[in-house]
Amino acid sequence: LFPYTDKLNYNLIIIISKKVTIPMYEKYKKELGSDIIFISDEKPEIKRNNIFFYKTKDVINSGFTNMHSKYLCTSWDKSLYHISLNNKYKYYWIIEDDVYMKNIIPIFSNDNSDLFLFGWEKKYGDKWVHWKLGKKYFNKINLSASINQCTRLSRNMINHILEFNKKHHSLLFHE
């Protein structure tokens, strides 16, 4: 998507889905370009080199779990599992398959922030049922909540997440 002079590529767009379908694949490819992959919870309708399906039990056994409040392992966990095996991009865009978007990625090409969120955010103390999930690991001052249907994470942020995973053999609720 963008020329990048380091040995790393610049942006990888990851579309996460319960099941990758043909129309979804074609629409996202047309809108977002070539540096895009799909992570499918279930076996996808089509086979392409950029569609990845990981068996849930393998991902759980690798410690990539708990990013959802109800399910032990989803495409969120599988996307970080995939990144842990292929961590070669400067930025990772993770987009849920129910998000329709125009290609806004070039707008952020000169911003080196470690995290972009495109939704609401809560500071600790606001009413939210999931605070207990993070208090075990972080001080209250470091806790916040957000909605994450579309997010951009830097390689630096990814490395912090992978360090947490290595230490705790788990991930943490992503919102």
Side-chain angles (χ1 to χ4, degrees):
L1 293 171
F2 303 100
Y4 190 61
T5 57
D6 197 322
K7 291 181 183 177
L8 300 174
N9 294 320
Y10 200 80
N11 283 296
L12 179 64
I13 302 164
I14 303 171
I15 306 298
I16 58 175
S17 178
K18 184 165 181 96
K19 184 175 187 173
V20 176
T21 64
I22 295 167
M24 173 200 318
Y25 180 84
E26 291 172 355
K27 186 75 167 174
Y28 278 109
K29 281 284 288 175
K30 180 180 178 186
E31 191 63 46
L32 298 177
S34 60
D35 286 336
I36 186 171
I37 66 165
F38 297 78
I39 304 290
S40 191
D41 267 337
E42 298 175 1
K43 201 165 194 164
E45 285 183 5
I46 56 174
K47 290 186 179 187
R48 299 287 189 275
N49 290 340
N50 62 339
I51 299 176
F52 296 89
F53 168 70
Y54 296 106
K55 292 181 180 176
T56 299
K57 68 177 184 169
D58 295 338
V59 177
I60 291 171
N61 289 339
S62 296
F64 287 83
T65 62
N66 297 316
M67 288 191 73
H68 195 280
S69 62
K70 293 181 184 175
Y71 305 103
L72 187 59
C73 183
T74 68
S75 53
W76 273 99
D77 304 282
K78 293 174 182 181
S79 67
L80 286 168
Y81 175 74
H82 178 85
I83 293 169
S84 76
L85 301 174
N86 304 281
N87 193 359
K88 59 184 180 182
Y89 286 83
K90 186 170 182 180
Y91 297 108
Y92 295 89
W93 290 81
I94 301 176
I95 303 169
E96 293 181 358
D97 66 356
D98 58 350
V99 173
Y100 173 78
M101 66 181 270
K102 294 286 186 183
N103 192 352
I104 62 168
I105 294 166
I107 296 169
F108 300 96
S109 63
N110 292 322
D111 191 315
N112 294 321
S113 298
D114 284 322
L115 177 65
F116 284 138
L117 302 170
F118 300 91
W120 57 259
E121 180 184 12
K122 294 179 182 286
K123 297 294 181 191
Y124 186 82
D126 292 342
K127 286 189 175 193
W128 193 57
V129 299
H130 299 296
W131 288 122
K132 64 185 180 285
L133 300 173
K135 287 190 338 184
K136 178 180 175 183
Y137 302 101
F138 301 103
N139 295 324
K140 292 176 185 178
I141 195 166
N142 299 111
L143 288 176
S144 66
S146 64
I147 191 102
N148 299 325
Q149 297 101 336
C150 176
T151 186
R152 186 191 85 172
L153 300 107
S154 70
R155 187 166 194 257
N156 181 52
M157 178 65 80
I158 290 291
N159 287 337
H160 285 294
I161 293 167
L162 295 177
E163 286 173 25
F164 179 93
N165 175 261
K166 186 175 181 181
K167 180 178 180 181
H168 299 285
H169 200 66
S170 179
L171 295 167
L172 195 56
F173 185 51
H174 73 285
E175 293 181 339

